[in-house]
Amino acid sequence: MKIEPRRRKVRILATLGPASSSYEQIRALYLAGADAFRLNMSHGGHEGHTEVVGHIRALERETARPMTILADLQGPKIRIGRFDAPVELKNGQRFTLDRFDTPGSAVRAFLPHPEIFGASEPGHRLLIDDGKVALRVLAVSPEEIETEVMVGGRLSSNKGLNVPDAVVPLAALTEKDRRDLDFALDAGVDWIALSFVQRPEDVAEARTLIGGRAQLLAKIEKPQALDRLTEILEIADAVMVARGDLGVEMPPEAVPMAQKRIVQAARKAGRPVVVATQMLESMITSPTPTRAEVSDVANAVYDGADAVMLSAESAAGAWPVEAVRMMDAIASAVETDPEHARRVHFTETLLEPTTADALSGAAGQIAGTISARAVCCFTTSGSTARRASRERINVPLLVLTPKLATARQLGLLWGVHAVHTRDVNDFEEMVNKAKRMALRAGVASGGDRIIIMAGVPFGTPGSTNVLHIARLTGDELKGRK
């Protein structure tokens, strides 16, 4: 099956689950517009995930297109203990969280996380069940946290608890996460997403464990991570605006500003950024989205996000293919807006004093000046492609790499069409190959000019130092299969 590059620059990350775990379903999502696939390690077992990875790699072989897989670790989810039956908390009443492992009642509940007792202080908020119940800490002892109910509601067993006002000294990776990480790396996934990041040390620990076998994405879903965003961006390969828990731990009206800040900071740092959670939430049950959801997706595209993500919409919803198709339609429509090219450059991405940055910036300027149809980038590690993508060049970015792992990892980057191909050995071979690949990919034709970026000596990572303009005759593929 011949697959031409997406005309759309922003990428779509689709979560797989019960509604989309078969080969036929995954193939349908890809054809509808999904560019990368997310495995949620909070759900399902390793056997099921192994089968899904196999389906994605089979689709990769069928389409001859590198497929991008992201494994999303569950992270240290804090939960209260069990109840024999649900209870109802009233505003203003006292409620105690303690370390006594017995069923909860209308006045107390077990909290099996001693770290919370050390981190909590009077005045802190504790949010249960995604903020449906809100408590204010009155007093703390080694065995009990006495609280006042600020927002009452129904409580039942094992509901999640958020601590928005303190850095909780929990390990970034639980034992389950470590098992899931080992599994995901052995399965050959391309990206690892780290949940509930609080500090750069969390990211550094995960990076050490990954050992270069995959790229690392830090999910920004806690206010503490926002406070140290610059440091996190220095260590992570990408970040995600994870608006689910972020919207629990912050006032809802603060989330849009946080999203803008994260996207802007990631753009400046040259890190891919994914906007996620509830983007087309109503399409879990409805074949069409709300107008507000359409505007939400469009807003992320206008901001220049590298990717937008579907969660339950594609994993467990009734309309997974339609949700991907709708997201593709929204993003494609936004990118035809003449204002889009201007708005994605609202964030000023200052070039670093490196040859790769200088050439990436120049490639964007030259492409506009001479109306080049594509930028063709030779890379081994993917670093040059990431720098070029950061500049949001308004023509296709055709990336040629001899490393299949690199081609797969580039699937989350704005505007990139990665091709796994043999490396070149000299300048003439570089030019001729770039011309042929541009024709094969359909990004240019006879008479068009393309811009070529590469490094000499060839095959040396981090050596980008060549910028060349070439004109196609249209005959470059004659005599070739």
Side-chain angles (χ1 to χ4, degrees):
M1 185 193 335
K2 185 178 185 298
I3 302 293
E4 292 190 354
R6 309 273 194 210
R7 299 304 174 188
R8 159 176 49 77
K9 303 289 198 309
V10 71
R11 296 303 174 225
I12 295 175
L13 175 60
T15 303
L16 302 180
S20 52
S21 58
S22 71
Y23 178 80
E24 292 75 21
Q25 290 164 327
I26 296 169
R27 186 178 188 273
L29 293 182
Y30 176 73
L31 294 177
D35 301 289
F37 299 101
R38 170 178 174 254
L39 307 179
N40 188 349
M41 306 307 291
S42 299
H43 304 289
H46 290 177
E47 183 178 349
H49 289 311
T50 298
E51 186 176 0
V52 169
V53 170
H55 292 329
I56 296 171
R57 295 307 181 211
L59 181 61
E60 182 176 73
R61 291 189 293 271
E62 179 192 348
T63 60
R65 292 290 309 128
M67 295 284 164
T68 305
I69 305 174
L70 178 145
D72 194 336
L73 303 180
Q74 177 176 293
K77 188 72 172 177
I78 301 170
R79 298 184 185 277
I80 61 174
R82 68 193 189 281
F83 291 77
D84 287 333
V87 299
E88 194 77 26
L89 302 190
K90 305 294 184 183
N91 289 6
Q93 77 165 81
R94 296 294 192 267
F95 188 78
T96 301
L97 296 167
D98 59 41
R99 299 182 63 181
F100 309 120
D101 188 4
T102 56
S105 68
V107 296
R108 62 158 297 276
F110 174 49
L111 181 59
H113 299 277
E115 301 89 349
I116 309 300
F117 293 80
S120 297
E121 297 178 2
H124 282 184
R125 292 167 298 153
L126 301 177
L127 309 176
I128 303 177
D129 194 11
D130 291 337
K132 295 182 179 69
V133 174
L135 312 175
R136 181 171 62 87
V137 176
L138 299 176
V140 183
S141 73
E143 300 294 328
E144 294 184 343
I145 301 175
E146 184 182 348
T147 74
E148 179 184 0
V149 178
M150 298 165 59
V151 178
R154 185 183 176 90
L155 268 194
S156 57
S157 297
N158 303 318
K159 292 299 182 184
L161 181 141
N162 293 80
V163 187
D165 300 326
V167 175
V168 181
L170 288 171
L173 294 162
T174 65
E175 287 305 313
K176 170 180 165 51
D177 292 330
R178 290 172 183 269
R179 292 193 299 271
D180 289 342
L181 176 60
D182 288 341
F183 159 78
L185 294 174
D186 289 342
V189 307
D190 312 297
W191 286 85
I192 299 292
L194 185 63
S195 297
F196 300 109
V197 170
Q198 295 188 91
R199 50 199 168 240
E201 291 82 1
D202 297 339
V203 185
E205 178 187 2
R207 179 173 286 288
T208 299
L209 292 173
I210 292 170
R213 297 170 64 188
Q215 296 279 283
L216 176 59
L217 179 148
K219 294 169 66 177
I220 308 300
E221 50 195 332
K222 294 185 74 65
Q224 293 80 11
L226 269 175
D227 293 339
R228 304 187 69 180
L229 181 59
T230 300
E231 298 166 85
I232 289 169
L233 283 166
E234 289 176 358
I235 303 173
D237 296 303
V239 293
M240 178 185 291
V241 188
R243 302 180 304 181
D245 276 271
L246 194 61
V248 173
E249 300 215 359
M250 299 177 69
E253 65 272 17
V255 174
M257 283 82 81
Q259 176 175 320
K260 298 278 187 185
R261 178 185 164 195
I262 297 166
V263 172
Q264 184 179 62
R267 291 278 314 281
K268 287 183 175 180
R271 300 291 190 269
V273 55
V274 181
V275 177
T277 319
Q278 297 180 334
M279 300 211 80
L280 296 176
E281 183 85 352
S282 66
M283 290 194 74
I284 295 173
T285 56
S286 170
T288 57
T290 67
R291 302 303 179 262
E293 289 167 341
V294 172
S295 293
D296 181 39
V297 174
N299 186 50
V301 178
Y302 275 119
D303 284 346
D306 288 81
V308 286
M309 191 180 96
L310 293 168
S311 300
E313 303 97 326
S314 58
W319 309 92
V321 174
E322 290 78 4
V324 172
R325 192 174 292 129
M326 176 56 65
M327 187 166 268
D328 175 74
I330 297 165
S332 298
V334 169
E335 291 183 4
T336 64
D337 181 0
E339 279 291 295
H340 173 259
R342 188 173 67 88
R343 289 174 62 94
V344 295
H345 291 290
F346 279 0
T347 298
E348 186 178 9
T349 52
L350 298 176
L351 298 174
E352 296 178 8
T354 65
T355 305
D357 261 31
L359 294 183
S360 295
Q365 291 182 326
I366 294 169
T369 302
I370 68 172
S371 299
R373 295 300 300 273
V375 173
C376 185
C377 173
F378 288 84
T379 184
T380 302
S381 67
S383 175
T384 304
R386 285 188 284 273
R387 305 313 292 178
S389 173
R390 171 185 184 245
E391 297 309 307
R392 300 300 191 251
I393 301 171
N394 197 31
V395 295
L397 183 56
L398 182 62
V399 178
L400 308 178
T401 178
K403 290 188 65 175
L404 179 57
T406 296
R408 289 169 171 170
Q409 290 166 359
L410 294 174
L412 283 182
L413 271 66
W414 191 96
V416 168
H417 179 77
V419 177
H420 177 225
T421 183
R422 289 190 299 272
D423 207 357
V424 294
N425 298 307
D426 56 50
F427 188 87
E428 183 179 3
E429 185 183 0
M430 173 195 79
V431 174
N432 291 335
K433 182 157 198 161
K435 290 179 178 181
R436 293 194 302 271
M437 298 306 287
L439 286 173
R440 284 186 176 136
V443 297
S445 54
D448 290 336
R449 283 182 286 194
I450 61 172
I451 298 169
I452 305 169
M453 295 176 61
V456 177
F458 294 99
T460 304
S463 66
T464 302
N465 55 11
V466 171
L467 189 66
H468 181 73
I469 302 169
R471 186 183 291 274
L472 280 67
T473 65
D475 297 331
E476 285 83 0
L477 294 178
K478 282 189 176 178
R480 291 181 174 269
K481 293 184 180 180

